[in-house]
Every structure is written in C-alpha cells, then in structure tokens.
Amino acid sequence: MNNVNWLMSNGRHWFCLRHYSVGTARRLIIHCSFLFCLSGCLSSKQLRNNEYILTAQVIRGNKAISSENLASLIPQKPNRRLLGLPITTQLWLYQLGLRRYDREAALRELQAKTNEFEQQSQLVASQPQELKKLNRTYGRQLKRLRLKAEEGNWVMRNLGEPPSYFSEKDAQANAVKMQKYLSDKGFFNGRTGYKLDTLRRRQIRVNYLIAENAGFYLRNITYEIADPRVDSIVRQSFEKSRLQTGDRFDFDNMSGERVRIESLLRDQGYYAFSRQYIRATDVDTVRRGNDRRFFNGLEPGDSTRRNVDVTLQIINPPGQSAHPIYHIGDVEVQISPDASQPAVAALGLDTIRRTGITYLLGGRDISVRLLDTKILLRKGQLYNQTNYRDTQRQLFLLNQFKFVNLNFTDTTNRQLRTLITATPLDKYEATAEGGLTGLLYQGQGYPGGFGSLIFRVRNMFGGLETFETSVRYGIEAQTGFVTDPTNPDRVVYKSQELGVSSSLIFPQILFPGRIRFRFTRYAPRTQVSLSFNNTFRPDFRRSLLRATMAYNWQVTPAKQFSFLIADINLINAGNGTEKAISNAFQQQLNFLKDQGSTVYLSFRRSLSSSFSLAYTHNTVTPGQNRLANFLRMVVESGGTTLNFLSDKTVSHWSDTIGGTGLQFYKFLRVNVDYRHYIPIRRRTTLAFRVNTGIAYGYGPDGGPVPYEKFFFAGGSNSIRAWLPRRLGPGSAFPYLANNPTRPAINSSNGQFIYLFEQPGNVLIESSAELRGRLFHLGADVNGAIFVDAGNVWTLSNNSSRPGSVFQFDTFIPQIAVGTGVGLRFDFSFFIIRFDGGIKVWDPARRYLDTDNKLVDKRFILPEFSLSKLSSGANPLVINFGIGYPF
C-alpha cells in the first residue's frame, strides 16, 4: 500500500512517500528464539478496529538540531518495546489485566463506597474527631477505588501500559511543530515530513524526516531605546548580550536577551520594568551572501550563508517619557510570635531598630546584629532584584525558619515599603533513623543493621546557632583480616560500632578582623564538631576521637567552598573481642611489617592533624532529569606544622620508649570526583563518573599515610564486581596470612578469597550507567546497566607484592573492569538499590601456580555462568545501598 502526503513549508510543497512494509530482518532475529513466542503476546482482538499501535518514533536527517529537542515536541508516547524488537511486553500485561477488568463494576463499587461515606459522615457530623478519623479511613479506600475505575486494576496500573494508538492528525501536527522549531532555530528554509513503517501485528513506526537546509546568521543587531538612562545601561552591557554578530539566529537567544535586560534593569532600580517592553520589531532575512562579498559587489556571495538583521526596541510605559525608578522605603522584619508568649505582650515587646531596619521579634531571643547581616535591603537604596533574592536565600539557608516572605508596597514618591515575615522552626527537634545492611560472601548472606538518634537545638544562644548531637549504633558483617585459628572456615565476623558526635553551626565566619564581612553575601557558616567513634571486632578494637572546625560558604546555588581549618584525630587501637583471632591478627601485622608494609602503623596510637580546601560545583536538581554536572575537588595537607621540626625530632616523639608513643603523620592528599548526567528520555539517564586521587606521605618511617586517608576500590559506590575495599592494589593478588607468594584461591570453586582490605595511595576509577524506569510497584522500580573500571595502587615498592606500585607504563592493564545490572526502588524520599556485578577483567588473575606455571585468566568474563551465580569462579556480587552510587 503506497500513499502520498505533503506539508506546506514557506510556500513550497514537499512530497513524502509513505510505505508500509514488514521488517524481514527482525523476523530472522527472533524466528528461532524464545522472544518469538513473546512477540505473539499482543492480541489484535483487543485493539480498536482498523487502528495501529504506536511503538516507535524516530527522527532522521537532522544535523545541527539535536534529536532530543525535536523529540520533546512530540506529546505522544509510544508503547515500549523489548530491546527495540516489536515485542510490547507491558502492553501485553495491560491486556492480560484487561481480561479480568470490568470498568462498569469498578464504577458501581466506587459509587457505592461514596454513598456509604456520605451516610457515615452525616452520622458523625457533630463529632470532629470521629469525622476526621472517618475521612482518613474512607479517603484511602476511595482513592484506591478511584484509581481502579480510572486506570484499571493492579496489573494494568503497575505492570502494564495502555495502548498508544497512532493518529494521522497527530503526526501531521508534530511535523508542523518541528517546522516551527526549525524556524525558531534559524533554519527558515527547513522542511519537515514523516514516513510510516508498519511492523508486525498492527504496530507502526513514525519516521519524522528533517531537512534543515542553510541556517541564517546574525549580521546587524540594532537597539532602539526610548529612555536615555535605560539606553546607557543596556549599551554598557553589550559584552554580556545573548545576541552576537555571526551567531546563528535562535529565538531562545532572543528570549534570553529579553530576560537578561529585564534582570539588568531591575538591578538598577527599575522595579516595574518588564520584558513586555522589549520587542523584536524587525527580523530581516538577507540572501546576499556574506558581508565581504556583498559590500565588494561580488554577487551572490557564499550560497551556503544566509544573513539576518535584527532590531530590538525598548519602549516606554504608555503616557510616560521614561521608565520609573524605585527606591527602598521603610524596611520592617516581623518574626512570628513565640507560642509561649502571651499575645498582648508579644505585640509590645522586642521592637528594635538597627541600621534603618525595624525588627519585631515577637518575644524571641534573636541576635539582631547577625540577622542584620543577612538582610541586604536598606532604606534609600535603589531597588535591586539580586539583593531581594539573596536576602530571601540567606534567611532560608539559616535553617531557622519554616517560611520567609518578602513583600513590597509601592507608596508615594516611588518608595517601596519592604516587609519581611519569617516563621521560625521548632526550637527543639528529635529524630530517629535506622536501616538494614547486608553482606553476600561466597554465596551466603549475612544481615546487619544500624540505628541513630539525633537531637537538634536551634538558636541555642540567641545567635541563630544550630546545635546537633547524635548517637549511632550498628552491627554488621565484615570479612576479617585473618581467619579464625580455631575455625579456618570462618572468615566473616560481626563488627559493632558505637559513635557519638556533636556539632555547633554559627551563621557567620568566626574570624577576627573585617575580612569575615566579605562573605556576607555567600551564606557563610562556621561549624565546630567533636565526635568519638568506637569499633569492636574479633580481630581488633579501634577508637577515634575527632575535633574539626570548618568554614563553609556558597558563592552561587551551584558553587560551594569548604575550608577545614583544623581536623585533629586521636586514634587508639587495642585487642579484639576474641583472643585467638586478635593474636592471629597481631601476628599478621608483624609479618606485613617485616615485608616492608606500613599498615601496622594504622593500628597503633596515633595523632593526625590536617587542613583542607574543598570546592563543589553541582548543577544536579533532585527529581529532575536534565543535563547536569557534579565536580568536587579536595586538597588536604596533614601534619603541616611538623615541617618546622626535623624528622629526627618527630621520630623521637613517636618512639614508644622515651617518647609519647604516638605515631605522627605528614602527608598531602588530592581527590577529584566528576560526574556527568545526560537525559536520554523523560525517565532515562546516562550517567558517567570519574574519580581519582593521590595520597602522599613524606614523614619519617617511610612517610606513612593515616589509614583513613588511603583510597579503596570495590563496593556499592565503587567497582561493584568486587567486595568492598578488596580490589587491588594494582595486579597484586589476594593472599592468605603469612603466605603472600601464592594467591588465596578456594579450591572447590576457583574463587579468590578476599580477606584483607587493600589500601592504596593512588586511585583511578570510572563508571558509566544507563538508568531507566521499568514499572511501578508501590514505588517506581528503575533498572540500570553499568560498567565500572578502576583500581588502587601504592607508591612505595613492596617486593612481596609485585604489580602493586603505580607506574605509567604498566597501569593500564592493571585497571579492573566489571559490569552488571541493578534494581532501584524509588520511594521519592529515599531510594533502595540492589546492584549485581560480575568481573570482566581481573588484573590479579595472572600469577604462578603451585607448579610455577604461568596462569593468565585476567579476562574472566567467560567464567561467569547463570547456573553458578554464586559458586563459580566469577560469582555475582550483590551490592546493597541507599541512594544512587553517583
């Protein structure tokens, strides 16, 4: 069947052949497979007569304009297909549910329940509490019945999707919208059309055909501004204009220039100015080639270049010779009264004037001096929209108020009376949190859990401070550093953690001198923290006392700095809870010490101090799927003040005999974490991450680095095909205690036995993940396919562990690669994540066996088997996490 359709484009007709055919290549692919059975799931009997199911929409021919932007113009959503094949599994599930669905019965049930609710409501109309309870009970039931009547039964709503029928009128309308979009982007001669392909079982694919043709470029940009003062302001900002000569015409840039001028003038006192006063009075297309050929008389010039002249006009308000200029009038700040204060007393108390601002505190003890630094509006100033927004943002970021509103009233002589109202949050707040953890090792699961209590006090000393203290306790399963001498098969231990932390946040930079006032616009904070954490394990006990002081400021909503001016850690270690295992662990540390390792230093009493500077750039908006980036860079220097002393003195202080017995550290650490998010569809995202860093120790005794400052690879937020912190370093293989020359291999299944955490000085890791929504089942169930690559390396050579040192000529084949799939349950306020990873390239799988024969099984992907998910040489590693991995 062949048909012809046409669309009008700038006075031209474009003929487009429409052909219906069956894809024979797709038939061959699914002919002898299980998918062929699924392809017959779509029942034509349940479809409307003579109508087709829309299963694909493809955009072809576009070059400069992205397919994503053109696809956003199409409101119709096709029925999803399995792996791009003409298999509509979710539509089949919808039809399966439809077979057992009676819409008339659902409507009758809804009406009956509604009548029942109305009758019951009349009986308890005079009892507010009973009526509230009744509303809550029937509200849930009516919501469920209404969903059933409108969207179908549970299978139809959560597992299936309704048929998306193709409409010729929709395709025509979409082509017209694409035509207009091309024109808005400067392709005035662009053309659009569509071609239809029929697939098997009344499925149809719409191919939207795009011909951009030559674009038009800005040649002359003219501004006609009636108000001389406005004219001067606008012309002084031309370097920031969205319209630049030589750029392709873009209607979005025209709109952006109007917004820019509006914001510019509103920052100069033009409170009532609106972009409606800005008009594009003339857009003249010039088809004479480029300027050089035209003015030299060389017609027609470059035939591929088309120019356009644009005139922007800024008019005055009707009946006025200029735009009015506004100033800030009286400024008043009203804090909602304290509930504990009598209403009459609250109205008369705490009225304070400072720097021209009237504060009505409503009986609350609040520092007016600090509050004054957050308010950037002053009487007599020109109205400034940026100051208005920054004031609102800074008051909100204090974390002291539920609501903050700023209102202006235009009084006489164009003076804006400013009223700021704020409703404080509760002074005291207590919350409880808890969760489950788990470890899957050698095919066996080990559960765990944690819980915490948080107590918060706001405005503790009347200076808008926030005090917070928390207690956390957790029990989780972890693989030990050594096996149990009394039970060699026991390698998973119970670890207990008890922690207490407290912090006090000040809404300013606590620093002498006037330099602290330079941060006023940037929502500054000073945070002082003290914490104590104790870890109990069978092999060791470790406690950490930490004190920190940090400055934080936010330059823009996307840019933030954190300067940790002091980070002091006092670490103490002792024997574990089980004597035999603890003794074996100590023997292992001594053995590693003899081999040249400095890990033993992390399990002795030590003192570590450092300062760091962190920069974060984050354009990610939670709940929105759009192009975004995340960048975090941290530079840290530890033991800097020890540089004023000799290494001999520091070593003497560290000596257990005659010294303090404390291990001191001098180190430098740099870490860069970059993430990039690309929206593919409305609920599909392609996410990338690159995380790298280096930790260098330069103190005495080989320049050790504190254990907490090492890098680790493996786990739910790293290389997910490896157990947490078990990958690396380099191509070094895991080994058993006291035998580092042979890999630790489970003889029954060929799996490596990962006993020890593997710290490294150098980290390189990257990930790519495709995320998309699968279906709704109480929560949005999202799926993911990912690839992870990376490793850690040491900087010092260890003869007992060849391949562990980072070298530029050898590190590439030492990068481990893993892949897998994941499920994420999105409950809006939190996400539960399960990721299953398998190894693709294991750099440690090149070693000498017991017969000194070279074994090279680094490409380990073929060792994976669905029949041996947890018992094969390449097992499936299950990772559990809260939130996305990056």
Side-chain angles (χ1 to χ4, degrees):
M1 175 181 175
N2 294 310
N3 291 327
V4 176
N5 67 292
W6 56 269
L7 293 173
M8 183 71 71
S9 173
N10 285 349
R12 295 184 175 89
H13 297 88
W14 184 27
F15 293 89
C16 175
L17 183 64
R18 200 174 44 161
H19 179 61
Y20 294 89
S21 63
V22 178
T24 57
R26 293 178 184 265
R27 284 186 173 181
L28 292 175
I29 294 174
I30 62 175
H31 183 265
C32 296
S33 66
F34 175 70
L35 295 180
F36 178 75
C37 299
L38 290 178
S39 67
C41 295
L42 178 59
S43 174
S44 301
K45 295 180 180 179
Q46 293 180 290
L47 301 179
R48 298 175 186 170
N49 292 331
N50 301 320
E51 292 203 44
Y52 286 83
I53 294 296
L54 178 64
T55 56
Q57 298 177 132
V58 182
I59 298 172
R60 306 181 188 278
N62 53 307
K63 297 178 181 178
I65 306 298
S66 71
S67 298
E68 176 188 354
N69 291 339
L70 292 171
S72 66
L73 303 174
I74 306 175
Q76 298 80 26
K77 301 301 177 185
N79 286 116
R80 281 174 284 184
R81 300 184 295 165
L82 180 65
L83 300 176
L85 300 174
I87 304 171
T88 52
T89 307
Q90 289 173 293
L91 177 57
W92 175 79
L93 290 171
Y94 182 88
Q95 291 183 324
L96 181 66
L98 187 61
R99 295 173 185 174
R100 298 179 176 274
Y101 175 65
D102 187 342
R103 178 176 174 80
E104 296 299 326
L107 289 172
R108 288 194 299 269
E109 187 179 3
L110 174 61
Q111 185 61 48
K113 184 62 68 174
T114 302
N115 295 337
E116 181 183 336
F117 169 64
E118 292 175 352
Q119 295 173 3
Q120 294 294 328
S121 298
Q122 293 176 2
L123 296 177
V124 295
S126 60
Q127 305 175 39
Q129 292 297 328
E130 290 296 324
L131 184 61
K132 182 178 180 181
K133 181 179 179 181
L134 188 71
N135 286 332
R136 185 167 58 249
T137 302
Y138 275 89
R140 291 193 296 265
Q141 298 177 9
L142 290 172
K143 180 181 178 181
R144 178 178 55 83
L145 293 175
R146 191 176 295 109
L147 276 175
K148 183 178 180 180
E150 295 175 355
E151 302 179 16
N153 55 33
W154 185 89
V155 174
M156 297 166 66
R157 295 194 312 269
N158 296 283
L159 301 181
E161 64 178 8
S164 177
Y165 291 103
F166 167 73
S167 170
E168 185 92 16
K169 292 182 179 180
D170 290 339
Q172 293 174 355
N174 294 335
V176 171
K177 285 190 287 186
M178 292 181 185
Q179 174 73 46
K180 182 180 182 302
Y181 187 80
L182 290 180
S183 179
D184 289 344
K185 291 298 182 180
F187 296 100
F188 300 139
N189 293 332
R191 296 181 294 178
T192 62
Y194 61 91
K195 183 182 71 172
L196 306 177
D197 293 336
T198 55
L199 308 177
R200 65 192 318 273
R201 288 193 176 271
R202 290 171 60 181
Q203 300 181 33
I204 201 166
R205 175 177 60 207
V206 183
N207 301 281
Y208 290 99
L209 307 177
I210 310 297
E212 295 171 347
N213 296 324
F216 283 72
Y217 294 81
L218 297 175
R219 187 184 67 168
N220 296 316
I221 305 169
T222 304
Y223 289 79
E224 296 178 354
I225 305 175
D227 187 330
R229 186 174 184 273
V230 171
D231 182 81
S232 175
I233 294 173
V234 172
R235 293 188 183 280
Q236 291 177 18
S237 67
F238 274 170
E239 71 279 359
K240 298 179 181 179
S241 174
R242 296 286 299 273
L243 303 176
Q244 298 294 333
T245 301
D247 291 349
R248 192 181 74 237
F249 176 87
D250 191 330
F251 185 77
D252 287 342
N253 287 339
M254 295 280 289
S255 301
E257 177 67 358
R258 296 173 67 197
V259 172
R260 186 192 70 85
I261 293 175
E262 179 187 72
S263 299
L264 174 70
L265 294 179
R266 285 187 175 180
D267 279 349
Q268 300 291 331
Y270 292 96
Y271 168 74
F273 186 86
S274 168
R275 71 194 70 170
Q276 304 302 322
Y277 293 115
I278 307 173
R279 302 175 181 175
T281 59
D282 188 18
V283 178
D284 181 25
T285 57
V286 182
R287 308 190 180 197
R288 297 180 177 176
N290 56 51
D291 292 344
R292 181 179 59 81
R293 287 179 174 268
F294 172 69
F295 286 112
N296 290 341
L298 302 176
E299 297 282 358
D302 185 356
S303 61
T304 64
R305 182 95 173 178
R306 297 290 185 268
N307 292 325
V308 59
D309 294 338
V310 174
T311 300
L312 286 180
Q313 187 180 66
I314 303 180
I315 63 175
N316 288 331
Q320 300 186 36
S321 60
H323 285 272
I325 301 174
Y326 291 81
H327 291 78
I328 300 297
D330 294 331
V331 181
E332 184 176 294
V333 179
Q334 293 183 3
I335 308 297
S336 298
D338 191 331
S340 63
Q341 289 282 339
V344 176
L347 290 174
L349 291 178
D350 302 320
T351 300
I352 302 174
R353 288 190 58 84
R354 180 184 175 89
T355 63
I357 301 177
T358 302
Y359 293 91
L360 304 177
L361 301 183
R364 294 182 180 271
D365 181 19
I366 296 178
S367 171
V368 173
R369 181 184 64 83
L370 285 174
L371 198 60
D372 195 67
T373 63
K374 308 299 178 182
I375 299 173
L376 307 178
L377 303 172
R378 294 292 185 273
K379 185 175 181 178
Q381 289 180 345
L382 282 175
Y383 169 78
N384 187 294
Q385 182 175 256
T386 299
N387 286 345
Y388 157 73
R389 291 176 176 172
D390 285 351
T391 297
Q392 194 169 36
R393 182 173 66 92
Q394 292 219 55
L395 291 175
F396 176 76
L397 291 177
L398 285 173
N399 194 28
Q400 299 283 338
F401 303 107
K402 294 179 184 177
F403 309 106
V404 176
N405 294 313
L406 276 73
N407 296 304
F408 296 101
T409 303
D410 185 4
T411 59
T412 57
N413 298 323
R414 295 169 183 166
Q415 299 288 313
L416 297 175
R417 182 180 179 274
T418 306
L419 175 61
I420 303 173
T421 57
T423 303
L425 290 163
D426 293 336
K427 185 178 182 67
Y428 302 100
E429 181 182 0
T431 57
E433 298 177 355
L436 299 176
T437 61
L439 173 68
L440 183 66
Y441 184 79
Q442 299 286 335
Q444 185 174 353
Y446 300 87
F450 67 90
S452 62
L453 296 174
I454 304 172
F455 180 68
R456 187 176 293 111
V457 183
R458 296 184 176 91
N459 196 34
M460 187 172 188
F461 304 117
L464 301 175
E465 312 89 352
T466 300
F467 173 77
E468 183 177 299
T469 185
S470 64
V471 179
R472 185 184 188 278
Y473 177 74
I475 301 177
E476 61 180 353
Q478 293 184 354
T479 54
F481 284 87
V482 293
T483 58
D484 186 350
T486 62
N487 183 9
D489 294 332
R490 180 189 175 194
V491 294
V492 177
Y493 302 142
K494 180 179 69 174
S495 174
Q496 300 182 68
E497 182 179 342
L498 176 63
V500 180
S501 64
S502 298
S503 65
L504 186 60
I505 301 174
F506 301 88
Q508 59 179 321
I509 298 294
L510 296 181
F511 193 83
R514 298 190 59 82
I515 189 174
R516 67 181 186 274
F517 297 115
R518 296 183 181 181
F519 297 88
T520 299
R521 281 186 173 271
Y522 306 138
R525 292 181 303 161
T526 300
Q527 181 171 349
V528 180
S529 302
L530 180 66
S531 64
F532 178 76
N533 192 74
N534 218 339
T535 302
F536 304 92
R537 293 169 49 120
D539 41 4
F540 66 86
R541 177 184 57 81
R542 200 162 187 266
S543 61
L544 170 63
L545 178 64
R546 186 185 186 196
T548 64
M549 182 174 180
Y551 296 143
N552 301 284
W553 65 96
Q554 194 173 16
V555 179
T556 68
K559 298 179 181 179
Q560 181 175 334
F561 289 88
S562 179
F563 182 27
L564 195 64
I565 63 172
D567 185 0
I568 303 173
N569 298 267
L570 179 61
I571 303 167
N572 196 10
N575 296 327
T577 57
E578 297 186 25
K579 185 175 181 181
I581 300 177
S582 181
N583 292 337
F585 173 69
Q586 189 60 47
Q587 293 174 5
Q588 177 66 16
L589 289 181
N590 295 333
F591 173 78
L592 293 176
K593 178 181 178 181
D594 296 337
Q595 297 295 320
S597 173
T598 60
V599 174
Y600 74 97
L601 295 175
S602 300
F603 293 91
R604 58 174 289 189
R605 295 179 64 243
S606 59
L607 178 66
S608 170
S609 63
S610 66
F611 67 89
S612 63
L613 178 65
Y615 166 73
T616 303
H617 178 80
N618 185 11
T619 61
V620 179
T621 303
Q624 295 186 12
N625 184 21
R626 61 185 183 86
L627 191 68
N629 297 284
F630 174 90
L631 173 65
R632 179 173 174 81
M633 298 185 293
V634 183
V635 179
E636 183 176 6
S637 176
T640 309
T641 56
L642 297 177
N643 290 320
F644 295 102
L645 306 172
S646 65
D647 286 349
K648 183 178 181 181
T649 302
V650 175
S651 296
H652 176 70
W653 285 0
S654 300
D655 197 349
T656 56
I657 301 176
T660 62
L662 290 173
Q663 173 65 45
F664 294 92
Y665 299 97
K666 293 196 295 182
F667 66 94
L668 295 174
R669 190 178 190 269
V670 179
N671 183 217
V672 179
D673 186 359
Y674 175 72
R675 308 168 191 181
H676 184 58
Y677 304 90
I678 303 174
I680 305 299
R681 293 181 180 176
R682 187 169 66 94
R683 293 183 175 180
T684 304
T685 305
L686 185 60
F688 298 94
R689 181 193 189 192
V690 176
N691 186 24
T692 184
I694 183 171
Y696 171 70
Y698 61 95
D701 298 324
V705 175
Y707 196 75
E708 288 77 9
K709 303 301 179 181
F710 278 115
F711 294 102
F712 297 87
S716 62
N717 295 324
S718 182
I719 315 299
R720 284 163 279 187
W722 273 260
L723 292 173
R725 297 184 162 211
R726 295 309 191 267
L727 174 59
S731 60
F733 46 73
Y735 60 91
L736 294 176
N738 301 328
N739 188 15
T741 60
R742 290 287 182 267
I745 301 179
N746 189 325
S747 58
S748 63
N749 53 30
Q751 293 182 17
F752 274 169
I753 301 174
Y754 297 94
L755 291 180
F756 315 125
E757 293 184 352
Q758 304 295 339
N761 299 90
V762 179
L763 169 69
I764 299 176
E765 66 178 10
S766 61
S767 298
E769 184 172 281
L770 180 64
R771 305 167 180 167
R773 183 178 182 269
L774 298 177
F775 52 86
H776 185 85
L777 187 64
D780 282 341
V781 180
N782 303 320
I785 302 174
F786 60 84
V787 176
D788 302 324
N791 209 331
V792 294
W793 292 264
T794 62
L795 290 176
S796 58
N797 193 15
N798 188 340
S799 59
S800 64
R801 304 208 71 191
S804 61
V805 179
F806 180 84
Q807 296 179 341
F808 284 102
D809 57 345
T810 61
F811 83 94
I812 292 180
Q814 295 173 350
I815 293 178
V817 180
T819 187
V821 296
L823 281 177
R824 288 83 192 272
F825 298 88
D826 188 349
F827 294 92
S828 298
F829 49 94
F830 74 97
I831 296 172
I832 297 177
R833 171 169 55 92
F834 294 93
D835 288 330
I838 58 173
K839 301 173 180 64
V840 176
W841 179 268
D842 187 351
R845 288 276 178 173
R846 190 174 189 272
Y847 55 87
L848 295 177
D849 62 11
T850 55
D851 297 328
N852 286 328
K853 292 182 179 180
L854 181 64
V855 177
D856 191 349
K857 293 183 179 180
R858 288 176 293 181
F859 182 60
I860 195 174
L861 182 61
E863 299 292 330
F864 174 72
S865 174
L866 290 175
S867 61
K868 298 181 179 180
L869 281 180
S870 60
S871 59
N874 187 5
L876 180 69
V877 178
I878 302 297
N879 295 274
F880 170 79
I882 301 297
Y884 286 107
F886 56 90

